[in-house]
Amino acid sequence: KDPLQFSLVSGPDDVFLEESTGLLRWSTNINDVGKSFHFVVSVSDGRTESPVLQQWTVSLLADTDAPSVDVK
């Protein structure tokens, strides 16, 4: 099994992608609500000529549910 190498091709500036595992970490804030963010990640096994690209868009929506607490 060849090791995979991941890399962030495009995405928000504050995204962290672990190159050996593909784990993506991103912390949003209140200023991001209502916006959409496009991500492109490439993965390669080092043997193929071209990496495989995966892309998606994340839209951040406001949380409209009131918080709830259950005290016993």
Side-chain angles (χ1 to χ4, degrees):
K1 182 177 177 180
D2 295 321
L4 299 177
Q5 184 73 28
F6 296 86
S7 89
L8 183 65
V9 176
S10 67
D13 291 335
D14 53 352
V15 170
F16 172 77
L17 179 71
E18 176 60 48
E19 293 180 351
S20 63
T21 65
L23 176 69
L24 189 136
R25 293 182 186 169
W26 178 39
S27 295
T28 60
N29 63 55
I30 192 70
N31 296 324
D32 296 328
V33 173
K35 297 179 183 176
S36 294
F37 299 89
H38 189 72
F39 293 79
V40 179
V41 172
S42 73
V43 62
S44 174
D45 63 4
R47 295 173 25 147
T48 58
E49 291 182 26
S50 299
V52 174
L53 297 178
Q54 177 68 50
Q55 54 186 313
W56 66 95
T57 300
V58 173
S59 298
L60 295 179
L61 306 175
D63 184 0
T64 58
D65 293 330
S68 64
V69 176
D70 185 15
V71 179
K72 295 182 182 188

